[in-house]
Amino acid sequence: MRYAQGGGLTDAGRAARERVRLQAVERSEDGQKNREIAAALRVSVRPPARHHPGPSAVPHRR
């Protein structure tokens, strides 16, 4: 079963998630490592990695 758009978050929750996502992108562009970004934003390492393609820029397979 797929979740509805936003994964069940309220509008405020989606807005907060987007703010964190944009902060992760900015930090990544500044050259910070994924672990540093994750620690600073208090998220797991995976979310920053999703927005930082890295050297290969090849999409990940699931």
Side-chain angles (χ1 to χ4, degrees), residues 12-58:
R14 282 191 295 277
R17 182 179 59 190
E18 183 67 7
R19 281 192 301 274
V20 169
R21 189 189 73 78
L22 292 175
Q23 289 174 6
V25 170
E26 288 176 13
R27 288 170 181 260
S28 178
E29 289 172 348
D30 290 341
Q32 288 187 8
K33 304 261 186 215
N34 286 339
R35 288 188 185 274
E36 295 169 349
I37 297 168
L41 299 178
R42 301 182 71 189
V43 297
S44 70
V45 175
R46 183 172 166 90
R50 290 172 55 196
H51 305 295
H52 184 285
S56 65
V58 176

